[in-house]
Amino acid sequence: MAQYYDYVLGVIPLVLGGLTGLLSVAGLDLTAALPVGASVSALIIGHALFVNMPTQPTAESTEATHRADAE
């Protein structure tokens, strides 16, 4: 099952290429569209790292998961 970080890793290149291409087709120069797409991609990375940061499972949460699976 795909999780949050799987989606983030998939969205980063889509936003970079898609937004850059969309802005370029809309009439913005490529030299201006590329930094905009890269900035939005960087914001997505920043959100994944600092707002919804990855955590290591602790022993307590691992035990709770195993107990829930056993029931």
Side-chain angles (χ1 to χ4, degrees):
M1 179 179 209
Q3 294 181 352
Y4 174 75
Y5 290 100
D6 297 325
Y7 291 124
V8 168
L9 289 174
V11 165
I12 292 167
L14 290 176
V15 167
L16 180 60
L19 186 59
T20 300
L22 182 68
L23 291 173
S24 182
V25 168
L28 197 61
D29 288 335
L30 185 60
T31 56
L34 189 58
V36 172
S39 297
V40 174
S41 295
L43 288 173
I44 292 170
I45 293 168
H47 183 273
L49 288 175
F50 299 112
V51 176
N52 193 5
M53 65 180 70
T55 57
Q56 292 287 341
T58 62
E60 293 174 2
S61 66
T62 305
E63 290 173 9
T65 303
H66 289 298
R67 272 188 256 135
D69 289 340
E71 293 175 359

